[in-house]
């Protein structure tokens, strides 16, 4: 048996391809380029994370700003309401202690101040004087010319008394045509007498009301603590009694006398 015929190199190559199929190879990526891709992906993720964090932070800041603004608005509203309540309370107390017509302190206010003035200071009851004024013939004028004229006259008397007294003294409209002055400090009979005369002339001066010119004269009673009384009630009663004495005597003013206590 003879040997197989020899094959050419070209045939050997073809046979080789049949026996060993061609291998498919993937091109390798350089390591440095791969690192760059990973770095880009990492930075992209970080940027996404940072953007979300910033949005969340900004949203939280917006919420905080809204909450702060709401709290400020609530504080402003609360303060305004508190001031309104305080103003109403102050107004209510003022109305409770002052006369509507003349704006002078009323009887309640006067008695409170007199009670404080009569408080024992440790060395006895301090000297305090009450001058009690009543307008003679006022009722007749009020009935003749009307309440508007009467109110105008009462208001003018209040202003005149306020201007005539010292800043530390107190004048009050007790009721109707009755006024009272609270005088504190070192008091002498002569100084009180001079004050009563001055108040008499101030009130007796003519009143110009519209086209009318009117005159009234006051009767003034004077009582001094602790001689004529050491309590509010005692001193007011003594001054009132002295005022009626001045009215009866038409003497413009009168000091309280112990004999008046027996009469009243």
């Amino acid at each position: 048996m003879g040997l197989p015929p020899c094959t050419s190199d070209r045939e050997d190559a073809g046979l080789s391809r049949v026996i060993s199929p061609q291998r498919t190879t993937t091109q390798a990526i350089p390591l440095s380029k791969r690192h760059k891709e990973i770095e880009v992906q990492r930075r992209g993720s970080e940027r996404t994370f940072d953007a979300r964090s910033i949005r969340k932070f900004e949203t939280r800041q917006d919420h905080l700003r809204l909450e702060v603004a709401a709290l400020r608005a609530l504080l402003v509203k609360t303060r305004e309401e508190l001031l309104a309540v305080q103003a109403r309370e102050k107004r209510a107390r003022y109305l409770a202690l002052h006369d509507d017509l003349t704006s002078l302190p009323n009887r309640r206010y006067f008695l409170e101040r007199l009670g404080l003035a009569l408080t024992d200071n440790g060395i006895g009851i301090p000297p305090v004087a009450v001058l009690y004024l009543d307008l003679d013939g006022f009722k007749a004028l009020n009935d003749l010319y009307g309440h508007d004229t009467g109110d105008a006259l009462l208001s003018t008397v209040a202003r005149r008394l306020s201007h005539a007294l010292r800043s530390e003294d107190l004048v009050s409209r007790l009721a109707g045509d009755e006024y009272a002055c609270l005088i504190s400090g070192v008091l002498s009979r002569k100084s009180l007498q001079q004050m009563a005369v001055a108040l008499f002339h101030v009130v007796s001066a003519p009143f110009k009301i519209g086209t009318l010119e009117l005159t009234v004269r006051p009767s003034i009673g004077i009582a001094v603590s602790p001689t004529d009384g050491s309590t509010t009630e005692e001193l007011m009663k003594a001054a009132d009694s002295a005022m009626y004495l001045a009215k009866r005597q038409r003497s413009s003013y009168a000091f309280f006398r112990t004999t008046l206590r027996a009469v009243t």
Side-chain angles (χ1 to χ4, degrees), residues 60-74:
R60 181 57 180 163
Q61 275 193 325
D62 291 340
H63 289 164
L64 287 175
R65 290 193 189 99
L66 291 175
E67 290 176 2
V68 169
L71 286 174
R72 285 177 176 171
L74 180 61

Side-chain angles (χ1 to χ4, degrees), residues 44-60:
S45 299
E46 287 179 353
R47 283 196 294 270
T48 302
F49 176 78
D50 290 343
R52 290 175 181 174
S53 300
I54 290 171
R55 283 196 296 272
K56 288 181 180 179
F57 179 74
E58 290 177 345
T59 301
R60 181 57 180 163

Side-chain angles (χ1 to χ4, degrees), residues 6 8 21 28-29 31 45 57 61 63 76 93 110 116 120 125 138-139 167 171 179 188 208 227 240 247 260:
C6 294
S8 65
I29 299 175
L31 187 59
S45 299
F57 179 74
Q61 275 193 325
H63 289 164
V76 170
R93 177 165 176 78
F110 186 85
L116 291 173
D120 192 334
I125 302 297
F138 172 77
K139 186 178 182 306
S167 59
V171 59
Y179 299 82
S188 66
K208 185 72 174 178
T227 307
D240 183 56
K247 192 181 288 286
L260 294 176

Side-chain angles (χ1 to χ4, degrees), residues 89-149:
E89 290 177 348
K90 184 178 181 180
R91 178 62 179 168
R93 177 165 176 78
Y94 179 88
L95 293 175
L97 296 176
H98 289 79
D99 177 56
D100 289 339
L101 176 63
T102 64
S103 297
L104 288 179
N106 58 17
R107 176 183 288 271
R108 176 183 172 186
Y109 192 156
F110 186 85
L111 295 179
E112 286 183 4
R113 285 284 302 274
L114 179 57
L116 291 173
L118 290 173
T119 302
D120 192 334
N121 57 13
I123 57 175
I125 302 297
V128 174
V130 172
L131 278 64
Y132 203 119
L133 292 83
D134 181 84
L135 303 180
D136 299 341
F138 172 77
K139 186 178 182 306
L141 289 175
N142 194 55
D143 292 341
L144 180 61
Y145 297 109
H147 293 292
D148 289 343
T149 299

